[in-house]
Amino acid sequence: DNPPKGPVIVAGVTGSIPATAELMRAVAALTNGAIVLPNLDLALDPAGFEAIRPAASATSADIGHPEHPQYGLKVLLDRLGITRESVAVLPGAEPDADMQGRLAFFSQAMRPATTTARWHDYAEDVDREALTRALSGINLIDAPSAQDEAEAVALILREALETPGQTAALVSPDRLLARRVATRLESWGIRVDDSAGRPFAKTVPGAFLDLIIETVHRGFAPAEMTALLKHPLTRLGLGAFEVRRAGRALEIAAFRTDYFGTGLDGVEAALEEAQQDVAARKRRGRAVQRLWDEDWAGARDLVARLKTAFAPLVSLYQSRSTHRLSALSAAHIAVAEALAQLPDSGEDKSDEDADASPLYQGEAGTAASLLFNGLIDPSLPALDIAAQDYADLYRSLIANENVRPRIPVHPRLSIWGPFEARLQQPDIVILGSLNDGKWPEAADPGAWLNRPMRKALGLPQPEEKIGHAAHDFTSLLGARRIYLTRAEKIDGVPTVPSRWLMRIVALLD
C-alpha cells in the first residue's frame, strides 16, 4: 500500500517458508524491487526442470523430486508465478566457457532420477576436450579410513598456505572430521577457525563436570575415580604435586587389587586394609610396599577431602525421593568448585580474585558458568527427577553446547559447516565426509506421520532436507580448486559413497 522509494532487494533466499514466499511476491511486484536467487540452474533442459516438481503436484500424488538441489527454487518460482526463462544472470556474473561446461555437467549429474536416460544423449553430444578443461581442478580422494581422510585434508590446507594470498576451507557436516583436521593443523602450529566451535563436553571444564557426575553415578568406581583424580582441575585446596602424589598413592593402595567397595567409605576401607596388610607383611604388590608414610597420610587426607567435597551430591543420591533439577545442579556445581579449589596462599584477596576459580576461566569456563546459572535460576519451572536420572539429563542438556575459542586464527584457512559456507568464496574448497548417511543424512519421516499424512497436512517431505543439502553441495562446486573426500571405512566398517558422488562418477563413466 505504501511502497518504499528506495530499492528493495531479497537476496540469497530460497523461500522455503510460505510467508517468506509471500513477502518475495510483494517485492517482485514493486517497480524498484528485485529478487536474487542463489544458484538457480539455467543449464538443465526444460523437461528435466519441470520433472523436479510438476505444476500439478499440489493436487496429484506426484510430488516430483524433493531430493533435487533445485526443488526449493522450483517451488518458489511456482509460488511467484515466474518461469525460469524470465530469470536473468546478474551483470558481471556471467560464467566463462569452461565454467558453463562445468555447470552443465553437474546439472546433468544431479538431474531428476526419472530423466537420467538423457545421460546417453549428453554423453554423445558433449565436447570431451572442453569437458576435460571444465573439470580440471576437481579432485576425488577415497581415503582408506577416517584418520587418513583427516590427514589428507590437513595436508591440502597446509599446502594451500604455500601460495601467498591463497585461501582454503574445509566444508563438512562431520564435526569429528573437523576436530581431527583442526588438531592435526595445530600440531604444525596452525590454528584454524572452526565455525562450529568445540563441543562443551570435550573442553577441560566440560570433561571435569562430566567426570564428577559419572563418578557419583558409578558409586566411586576405580576407573572413574582415577580419571577424576588425574584431571588437571582437581586440586581440593592442595598443590598440584601434593594432590597428584596422594591420588597415585590412593590408586596403588586401594585399586590395584580386587576391589569390591562402593562409595567413598569403600575407598577408605580398602585404603586402611591395604595399610594393615603391608604392616602385617601380607602379600601385596611391590608398588604398595614401597609407599612412604607421607604417601599413606596424603591418601587418607585426600579421601577425607573428597568426602567433604562430594557431600552435597552424595546426600541427594542416597535419598530415594525425587529432587528439583535446580537442587541437583546446585549440588553438582558446588562439588565442582570444591574439587577445583586452589590452595590458600595466605595473602589477602579481593572479592574478584576469590571468585576467579579455575573452573570458570576461558571461554569454556564462561560457558559452564552461564549453563549452571540457567539451571539454578529460581524463575525456571520446577522439574522433579530422581538423582539417578540426573547424569543422563545433564548430558542431554549439554549435547548441543559448543564453545567458540577467542584466539588468533589463521586468516586464510577456515572450517565451515554447509550453512556457514554459503556466500563464501575461498580459492580451494574441500568437501569432506561425502558418505551416504553423513552428507547427505538419511531422510527421516519421523515416528508419527507417514508421507501421505505429511502431504495432506501441507508439511514438507523428509527428502526436502536432502534437497537443501544437495543445493549447498552443488553451490560449492564453482571454486577454482575442489577436493571431494570420503573415507572408505569408518571404525573398520565399509561405507557407501554419497549418492551425489555416485551420480558424478556414473556420468563420467
Side-chain angles (χ1 to χ4, degrees), residues 6 24 31 69 142 163 292 294 314 332 335-336 338 403 438 459 493:
M24 296 173 74
T31 56
D142 290 313
T163 302
W292 294 32
E294 294 85 349
V314 170
H332 187 183
V335 171
V403 179
K438 179 60 69 174
L459 297 175
V493 180

Side-chain angles (χ1 to χ4, degrees), residues 160-181:
L161 298 180
E162 300 298 327
T163 302
Q166 186 169 245
T167 58
L170 165 65
V171 182
S172 176
D174 188 353
R175 302 313 314 154
L176 182 57
L177 173 65
R179 290 199 297 272
R180 281 173 171 162
V181 171

